[in-house]
Amino acid sequence: MKKVGIVMGSDSDLPVVQKAVDTLRALEIPYEVHIYSAHRTPDEARDFAQSARENGFGVLIAAAGMAAHLAGALAANTTLPVIGIPCKGPVLDGMDALLSTVQMPTGVPVATVAVNAGANAALLAAQILAVENAFLAQKLDAKRVSDAAAVLEKDKNLLL
Ligand code: RP5
């Protein structure tokens, strides 16, 4: 199976990235995690994106906060799908990172998930890989069934 490449702009993004890692692990999807910043280490971020396809990656996930250009910077250097996770920073509740990540110009798309939505980023990456992987698609179907069962269990036990 192709790997998922996860890049975060800073180790302060780790709590959000951990949710993506946990989700990929649960689905037994291979992954690699790096700290490369669009602003502080632009050369490493570019090199990672440019070599990602030949290095066995199928999807990239970029987590960054504030003026969050990481996902866009990766997307500028690969035609692999790039999923952006806007991370909530100390001000503006993540709206800064959300707009910086989602508002990409025509020709260089970034699939942006909700603020701090690490698990959804991993699930979207899994769904992309599952287009060509029936076994992974079955696991995703099974997860939807168990997620629904968990909601209905809560409904049954609701005491209000
Ligand atoms: C972004 O700036 C990072 O992705 C992080 O979310 C934010 C703050 O970085 P630190 O100052 O915590 O390293 O580039």
Side-chain angles (χ1 to χ4, degrees):
M1 192 190 311
K2 299 272 190 203
K3 293 180 288 184
V4 175
I6 305 178
V7 184
M8 67 192 109
S10 165
D11 60 351
S12 63
D13 301 317
L14 202 45
V16 173
V17 166
Q18 189 65 54
K19 293 188 277 182
V21 167
D22 292 346
T23 303
L24 293 175
R25 274 196 190 147
L27 292 164
E28 298 176 291
I29 295 172
Y31 63 90
E32 226 179 87
V33 186
H34 295 279
I35 303 171
Y36 298 137
S37 163
H39 307 118
R40 293 165 175 157
T41 63
D43 294 346
E44 286 76 7
R46 180 203 57 218
D47 292 351
F48 179 78
Q50 284 180 345
S51 59
R53 190 184 293 276
E54 72 202 45
N55 285 334
F57 293 97
V59 192
L60 303 183
I61 294 173
M66 301 179 74
H69 298 132
L70 183 59
L74 296 183
N77 284 291
T78 183
T79 52
L80 290 176
V82 176
I83 300 167
I85 312 173
C87 297
K88 189 171 170 176
V91 294
L92 302 176
D93 279 339
M95 187 59 79
D96 45 356
L98 174 61
L99 295 179
S100 301
T101 303
V102 77
Q103 286 288 58
M104 289 298 291
T106 300
V108 189
V110 166
T112 305
V113 295
V115 173
N116 283 359
N120 258 7
L123 287 170
L124 184 53
Q127 290 178 204
I128 292 168
L129 295 177
V131 169
E132 295 289 342
N133 186 321
F135 184 54
L136 181 54
Q138 277 174 8
K139 286 187 191 178
L140 290 167
D141 287 343
K143 178 171 166 30
R144 287 285 178 97
V145 170
S146 70
D147 286 354
V151 172
L152 295 177
E153 187 63 22
K154 286 177 189 169
D155 175 65
K156 210 164 59 180
N157 295 329
L158 200 57
L159 297 171
L160 288 176

